[in-house]
Amino acid sequence: MDIKGCVAIVSGANRGIGEAFVRVLMQEGAARVYAGARDAASAAHLEQEFPDRVQAIRLDVSDPSTIAAAAVACPDVSVVVNNAGAFTNRLLIGAEDLSGAREEMEVNYFGPVNMARAFAPILKTNGGGAILNVLSVGGILAAPNMGGYSPSKFAMRAAGACIRAELAGQGTTVTSLIVGSVDTRMAAHVDGAKATPEEIARAAMRGITRGTDEIDTDRFAIESRAAMARDPKGLERQMAKMVHATNVSTGR
């Protein structure tokens, strides 16, 4: 499908990759973007920057009622960008409890699945459209130091394949974005070279225009997949050594 003239909804649009998605969609000619955030006021600056084309809305993907409300308020959507994410930086066994892992699963897995369920009928009505799920290298490579986060991204990658199969008949494409090292607040613990949020959003545009199933959005994602192909067990051992690391290096 074409980006020009599309109507998109972006979760977690108030900063980072989500904000970059809004800007890039605007630059590529989207007719309208609904900028979703837990606090709609935090995305108001995008409304001011793109008057009449960006609308900030309340959208907390961990709260199904706000997803349902967004589906009612945004009946013209043709592109869904599931970008909102949670990273609590806790281990699975070493953490005091599993509250962090539950939050990550709620936001990173159940949130995008509920978004897909709510907007699938709307996408069908509007010609098929596209769903983009912002995932992570942690979704293709188990990262023990990202206890609940990595499993939640693995789960959403699998869910994306299931949803893709379910929605193929209505012409809806589902693209998984494998994101590596990006200069955002969530990746503050990562040292080394990082892609910009805008670079990630632009790479993701290929998912919309080509209907690609999965995209490695940056150099670190590409190198990580290559390392898995060369020596998966060796990479697993290397990742295991980082289980208690507070900072991660991209090696660049």
Side-chain angles (χ1 to χ4, degrees):
M1 63 174 292
D2 290 331
I3 299 170
K4 187 174 182 179
C6 78
V7 177
I9 183 168
V10 181
S11 65
N14 55 314
R15 65 172 185 265
I17 296 174
E19 182 175 353
F21 261 109
V22 175
R23 296 183 190 282
V24 170
L25 283 162
M26 287 289 95
Q27 294 164 9
E28 295 293 324
R32 176 181 292 275
V33 175
Y34 297 103
R38 287 183 175 180
D39 177 7
S42 66
H45 63 288
L46 293 168
E47 284 187 322
Q48 297 168 4
E49 186 173 346
F50 303 101
D52 302 322
R53 294 177 66 200
V54 172
Q55 180 180 341
I57 64 169
R58 182 170 182 262
L59 180 59
D60 179 353
V61 299
S62 66
D63 181 354
S65 67
T66 72
I67 295 176
V72 171
C74 311
D76 50 350
V77 163
S78 54
V79 175
V80 175
V81 181
N82 285 317
N83 165 74
F87 173 53
T88 63
N89 198 20
R90 299 182 192 175
L91 303 178
L92 286 176
I93 306 302
E96 291 184 0
D97 55 44
L98 285 177
S99 59
R102 291 184 186 279
E103 178 185 348
E104 288 163 330
M105 191 63 74
E106 195 66 49
V107 174
N108 301 340
Y109 173 72
F110 287 110
V113 170
N114 280 327
M115 284 287 290
R117 285 171 54 85
F119 281 92
I122 294 172
L123 295 177
K124 181 179 181 179
T125 298
N126 295 330
I131 298 173
L132 283 81
N133 297 318
V134 180
L135 304 183
S136 165
V137 166
I140 62 173
L141 167 64
N145 61 313
M146 304 171 81
Y149 180 84
S150 187
S152 71
K153 294 297 187 177
F154 263 85
M156 192 57 219
R157 185 183 180 218
C162 295
I163 294 168
R164 184 182 302 119
E166 283 198 59
L167 300 186
Q170 70 175 45
T172 299
T173 61
V174 179
T175 300
S176 296
L177 306 176
I178 307 303
V179 179
S181 180
V182 190
D183 190 12
T184 63
R185 189 177 72 175
M186 187 179 290
H189 66 295
V190 178
D191 297 325
K194 301 178 185 180
T196 66
E198 289 75 16
E199 288 172 331
I200 302 304
R202 291 203 174 278
M205 293 301 105
R206 295 194 296 272
I208 298 175
T209 58
R210 303 176 188 175
T212 308
D213 289 351
E214 189 162 285
I215 296 174
D216 294 335
T217 62
D218 58 286
R219 180 177 174 181
F220 185 61
I222 293 170
E223 291 177 348
S224 296
R225 194 184 292 271
M228 287 176 60
R230 287 193 304 268
D231 184 7
K233 196 61 184 179
L235 187 56
E236 180 183 331
R237 288 193 294 268
Q238 180 181 341
M239 295 300 295
K241 294 177 181 179
M242 295 163 46
V243 67
H244 296 296
T246 55
N247 278 61
V248 177
S249 174
T250 63
R252 291 178 283 122

